[in-house]
Amino acid sequence: MMDPKLWQDYLRLLEQLTRTIHQLTGIEQSKTRAASQGNLEELESCMRQEQAMSLSLRGHDQKRDALLARMGLTGVPLRELERHAPVDLLMETKRVAETLRREYGLFQTASQVARNTLECNLRMIEKARAQLEGEAPPPGENGDQPSQYELRV
């Protein structure tokens, strides 16, 4: 039988992870704003914060792996967590797991927007640099706007 105290410790860790991911989402949004405005100082600050948060994520990941091992659930993905929850903690487990998945989805979206913004600005900088130096634009960059969206069927 699963130790309820150990399970609650695991849920608290997942809640900490959710808060960390939420903070990372805010950093990604700030990074997008800074890149859009050409604010290099703010962009560098965001990237330093992002590096610090990635260390925190690694710490959470190590603790999560250790707790999963202690519970005999090594390798169990988040989407299957509810199947292993103690009956009296099932609803809380479901809530915590859904919140973490939702927050992670928001982070992925914010991260992709930031990446696209940075890539677009880098292409514009390269194009401007090439024009200043009298170089021909790289192939495929003759003024056509590349699509930032990919259709997956």
Side-chain angles (χ1 to χ4, degrees), residues 15-88:
E15 288 175 332
Q16 290 172 357
L17 179 58
T18 300
R19 287 190 293 276
T20 300
I21 291 173
H22 180 76
Q23 290 173 325
L24 267 172
T25 301
I27 292 169
E28 290 298 316
Q29 291 167 339
S30 295
K31 190 164 68 171
T32 299
R33 254 189 323 278
S36 295
Q37 297 168 353
N39 185 341
L40 294 179
E41 189 175 302
E42 177 66 19
L43 184 60
E44 287 176 14
S45 173
C46 289
M47 294 175 98
R48 282 191 301 273
Q49 291 174 44
E50 193 175 42
Q51 287 175 338
M53 295 299 289
S54 71
L55 291 175
S56 178
L57 282 176
R58 278 190 220 126
H60 288 313
D61 204 34
Q62 290 171 348
K63 289 176 186 174
R64 184 184 57 82
D65 287 345
L67 278 171
L68 284 172
R70 286 178 57 199
M71 294 187 302
L73 298 175
T74 301
V76 173
L78 187 63
R79 69 182 172 276
E80 294 177 14
L81 191 60
E82 295 167 33
R83 292 186 209 170
H84 303 278
V87 175
D88 55 333

